[in-house]
């Protein structure tokens, strides 16, 4: 098996936060991306900020947090991957637990959105994660593997750019995170699942950890085996804290492996 060295990837998920008056914060984050050039820095923004941010930033990549599975059509209130691409987004988060649980999106829907997104030329960040009940029942790994396989398009090709974000549902916004060994085991299981499905292509896919990441725990999280980057919610809204996470990723990339 050839091991591929991957650039660390740090993605901020702003969720339903931010107004046009937030552009200075986005510029601060863009400066962090310039300063720590060994890290790929991205922001998943609300629709209303995607274009203003995309035409302003020079170093960070701007993306969306959801899109429809159709390219266009009679879907009032929805946005397609093609529209995201058109206004400057270059990736989209899909399958976030807040959409799976809050908007009733099942893995079949996520899979259809993944295919449409990739066809539109966007990269996709697929979010997967177990509930507290699944973890307590000893089903964390199997439920995440099942969710991953059901959400990935059957016909992925090397031209499709995907990232997997492991986000335990119970860790999001709670201040609790899994033990390092639990994260390592989960990322190892995700990598193996990808190998079984995709062969050598699996080695190039970056696996992010997300859920209560902040400037105080980023370095430790990035030292865990098979953690190639971080998905950061709340702490990404504060440019100072997010910058510290990006700096930790740069430092981690300089450590001998
Ligand atoms: C998220 O929901 O994607 C997330 C990472 O949230 P937080 O960092 O706030 O837990």
């Amino acid at each position: 098996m050839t091991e591929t060295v991957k650039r660390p990837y740090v993605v901020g998920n702003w969720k339903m936060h931010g107004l046009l008056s937030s552009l200075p914060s986005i510029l601060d984050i863009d400066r962090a991306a310039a300063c720590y050039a060994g890290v790929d820095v991205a922001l998943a923004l609300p629709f209303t900020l995607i274009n203003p941010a995309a035409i302003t930033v020079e170093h960070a990549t701007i993306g969306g947090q959801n899109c429809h599975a159709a390219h266009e059509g009679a879907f009032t209130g929805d946005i397609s991957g093609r529209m995201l691409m058109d206004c400057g987004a270059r990736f989209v988060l899909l399958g976030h637990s807040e959409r799976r649980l809050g908007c009733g999106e099942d893995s079949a829907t996520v899979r259809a959105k993944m295919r449409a997104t990739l066809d539109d030329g966007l990269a996709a960040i697929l979010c997967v994660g177990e509930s507290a009940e699944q973890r307590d029942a000893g089903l964390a790994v199997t439920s995440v593997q099942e969710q991953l396989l059901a959400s990935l398009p059957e016909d992925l090709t090397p031209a499709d750019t995907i990232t997997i974000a492991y986000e335990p549902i119970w860790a999001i916004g709670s201040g609790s995170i899994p033990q390092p060994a639990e994260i390592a085991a989960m990322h190892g299981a995700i990598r193996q699942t990808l190998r079984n499905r995709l062969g050598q292509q699996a080695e190039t896919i970056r696996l992010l950890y997300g859920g209560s990441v902040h400037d105080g725990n980023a370095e430790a999280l990035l030292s865990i085996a098979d953690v190639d980057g971080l998905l950061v919610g709340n702490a990404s809204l504060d440019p100072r804290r997010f910058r510290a996470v990006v700096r930790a990723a740069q430092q981690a990339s300089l450590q001998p492996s």
Side-chain angles (χ1 to χ4, degrees), residues 17-222:
H17 296 287
L19 300 172
L20 289 175
S21 57
S22 314
L23 276 173
S25 294
I26 293 170
L27 269 176
D28 270 1
I29 290 170
D30 193 45
R31 280 191 281 275
C35 184
Y36 301 111
V39 182
D40 289 336
V41 177
L43 282 178
L45 294 175
F47 294 134
T48 48
L49 279 176
I50 290 174
N51 185 254
I55 61 176
T56 307
V57 300
E58 292 181 17
H59 306 279
T61 304
I62 302 301
Q65 303 169 8
N66 178 42
C67 67
H68 198 278
H71 301 296
E72 61 180 1
F75 302 106
T76 302
D78 269 309
I79 301 277
S80 70
R82 183 179 291 175
M83 291 166 175
L84 288 178
M85 187 80 177
D86 187 49
C87 72
R90 291 296 172 262
F91 74 96
V92 63
L93 287 185
L94 291 172
H96 192 284
S97 59
E98 286 158 12
R99 294 210 59 86
R100 289 183 189 263
L101 299 174
C103 307
E105 287 186 11
D106 60 12
S107 291
T109 305
V110 175
R111 172 185 273 175
K113 290 182 176 198
M114 288 282 295
R115 184 66 272 157
T117 293
L118 295 164
D119 288 345
D120 285 328
L122 290 157
I125 300 179
L126 171 61
C127 303
V128 291
E130 83 284 1
S131 64
E133 294 71 28
Q134 286 167 325
R135 178 156 287 275
D136 291 346
L139 297 172
V141 169
T142 47
S143 56
V144 166
Q145 286 175 315
E146 278 168 21
Q147 198 179 45
L148 175 62
L149 286 173
S151 304
L152 277 178
E154 297 277 5
D155 54 351
L156 278 178
T157 74
D160 294 324
T161 305
I162 65 164
T163 298
I164 309 297
Y166 166 55
E167 296 205 297
I169 298 168
W170 52 273
I172 293 175
S174 67
S176 303
I177 58 173
Q179 294 299 316
E182 292 171 327
I183 296 175
M186 184 64 83
H187 279 228
I190 291 172
R191 181 78 65 200
Q192 192 54 50
T193 306
L194 292 171
R195 280 186 191 122
N196 295 345
R197 171 68 81 84
L198 301 169
Q200 187 63 28
Q201 187 186 351
E203 308 307 324
T204 63
I205 295 174
R206 290 183 288 195
L207 308 187
L208 313 184
Y209 169 77
S212 294
V213 175
H214 55 74
D215 39 329
N217 60 18
E219 190 182 340
L221 288 164
L222 287 159

